[in-house]
């Protein structure tokens, strides 16, 4: 192993951990070329990130990382996420997860066709969450899930169903808040914008390359169990998953 290759690989890893953009374009273009053309640098980057329980994704000639499951160093705890999103209790946090999932499905129904919406609006996600919450609450879907998961998702869906679409205070403009569907979705969107996953252009929210890199891999790796609950078709190998993750 050449010291130069080790140094370049660790430089790439450190830039990614610090949240810098490592892509063909930009200040770190030379590092991306090292990753893309030097097999030893490529291998060291992957090995190093795997040891740190970080997932590496490539999209549109750029590199992106996300924490692996139960990553206590680089991932968020529930308390940290509540603070970042302006939430007080885990019930609201789980509802935020539900809204995020439905935000994702507004952009992607699958990754096979590589098609996605250009942008979404708050009202689009409200309609999508309304639809999926009705599926969860309904007893007519014939879904076969374990009792713990069923009760958990039903409580989330019922929490959403209890919210008004808007409040009187929101009629003058869209504001982030926990006491309405529109306010709650806007609050989630604000968090996704802060994480550089969405870009807000006059209340139209566009996905970033980072969003697309993470979400396309999410659909490939983790969609199965939650999709089952929402009545979507799951791959045969995914149907064996039986864990209800928080």
């Amino acid at each position: 192993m050449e010291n130069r290759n080790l140094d370049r690989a660790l430089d790439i890893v450190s830039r990614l951990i610090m949240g810098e953009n490592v892509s063909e374009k930009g200040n770190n273009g030379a590092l991306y070329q090292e990753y893309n053309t030097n097999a030893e640098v490529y291998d060291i980057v992957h090995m190093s990130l795997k040891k740190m329980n970080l997932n590496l994704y490539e999209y549109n000639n750029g590199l992106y990382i996300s924490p692996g499951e139960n990553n206590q160093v680089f991932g968020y705890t529930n308390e940290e996420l509540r603070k970042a999103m302006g939430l007080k209790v885990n019930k609201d946090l789980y509802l935020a997860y539900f809204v995020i999932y439905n935000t994702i499905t507004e952009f992607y129904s699958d990754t096979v066709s590589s098609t996605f919406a250009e942008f979404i609006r708050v009202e689009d996600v409200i309609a999508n969450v309304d639809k999926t919450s009705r599926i969860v609450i309904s007893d007519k879907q014939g879904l076969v899930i374990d009792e713990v998961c069923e009760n958990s998702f039903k409580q989330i869906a019922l929490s959403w169903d209890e919210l008004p679409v808007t409040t009187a205070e929101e009629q003058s403009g869209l504001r982030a808040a926990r006491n309405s569907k529109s306010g709650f979705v806007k609050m989630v969107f604000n968090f996704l914008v802060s994480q550089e996953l969405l870009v807000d252009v006059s209340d139209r929210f566009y996905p970033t390359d980072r969003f697309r890199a993470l979400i396309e891999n999410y659909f490939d790796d983790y969609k199965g169990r939650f999709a089952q609950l929402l009545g979507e078709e799951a791959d045969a190998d995914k149907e064996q998953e039986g864990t209800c993750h928080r």
Side-chain angles (χ1 to χ4, degrees):
M1 178 187 300
E2 295 184 15
N3 287 337
R4 176 188 175 280
N5 288 343
L6 176 61
D7 182 68
R8 289 303 176 96
L10 294 181
D11 200 8
I12 292 170
V13 170
S14 66
R15 300 293 176 91
L16 290 170
I17 289 174
M18 290 186 292
E20 294 188 26
N21 182 30
V22 179
S23 64
E24 189 175 44
K25 300 177 181 179
N27 296 333
N28 294 318
L31 287 176
Y32 177 79
Q33 289 302 323
E34 287 280 356
Y35 169 87
N36 200 40
T37 60
N38 189 320
E40 189 170 40
V41 170
Y42 177 96
D43 289 341
I44 296 171
V45 168
H46 278 261
M47 180 182 67
S48 300
L49 292 173
K50 184 176 181 180
K51 290 289 186 181
M52 298 178 193
N53 191 19
L54 292 169
N55 300 314
L56 177 66
Y57 302 132
E58 300 180 46
Y59 183 85
N60 198 21
N61 297 325
L63 305 178
Y64 305 89
I65 59 171
S66 69
E69 189 172 0
N70 298 319
N71 190 320
Q72 299 298 314
V73 177
F74 297 103
Y76 280 105
T77 64
N78 279 357
E79 182 179 358
E80 289 168 339
L81 265 178
R82 289 200 311 269
K83 184 176 180 180
M85 300 179 74
L87 303 172
K88 294 183 178 180
V89 295
N90 279 344
K91 181 183 74 170
D92 290 339
L93 179 61
Y94 301 148
L95 180 56
Y97 290 155
F98 192 61
V99 171
I100 290 172
Y101 180 84
N102 282 275
T103 300
I104 293 168
T105 59
E106 273 296 292
F107 284 112
Y108 292 92
S109 59
D110 59 66
T111 58
V112 175
S113 58
S114 297
T115 59
F116 43 81
E118 181 183 0
F119 64 86
I120 57 172
R121 296 164 298 185
V122 167
E123 54 264 37
D124 299 328
V125 173
I126 291 174
N128 201 23
V129 179
D130 283 343
K131 179 182 69 176
T132 53
S133 64
R134 285 194 297 269
I135 292 173
V136 172
I137 294 171
S138 174
D139 292 327
K140 299 179 181 180
Q141 299 298 320
L143 303 178
V144 180
I145 57 176
D146 63 85
E147 184 176 355
V148 173
C149 286
E150 180 181 16
N151 290 336
S152 297
F153 282 116
K154 279 192 175 182
Q155 287 303 314
I156 293 169
L158 289 170
S159 295
W160 171 261
D161 200 48
E162 291 170 356
L163 293 174
V165 176
T166 59
T167 63
E169 293 80 5
E170 291 171 339
Q171 299 302 319
S172 58
L174 185 59
R175 291 182 293 179
R178 297 190 304 274
N179 58 350
S180 73
K181 292 179 179 179
S182 60
F184 200 95
V185 172
K186 183 61 164 62
M187 183 172 57
V188 171
F189 278 8
N190 287 349
F191 172 74
L192 296 177
V193 169
S194 75
Q195 299 297 304
E196 299 181 355
L197 295 168
L198 297 179
V199 175
D200 181 4
V201 181
S202 301
D203 291 329
R204 292 183 175 185
F205 294 85
Y206 294 80
T208 64
D209 280 354
R210 182 169 187 266
F211 178 95
R212 290 170 177 168
L214 301 182
I215 298 312
E216 287 189 7
N217 283 278
Y218 163 82
F219 264 86
D220 289 341
D221 295 338
Y222 300 111
K223 183 186 178 186
R225 182 58 179 168
F226 201 87
Q228 271 189 307
L229 180 64
L230 299 181
E232 300 173 14
E233 183 177 352
D235 294 336
D237 59 336
K238 294 293 186 180
E239 291 177 354
Q240 301 303 316
E241 298 174 6
T243 303
C244 179
H245 298 290
R246 66 179 177 87

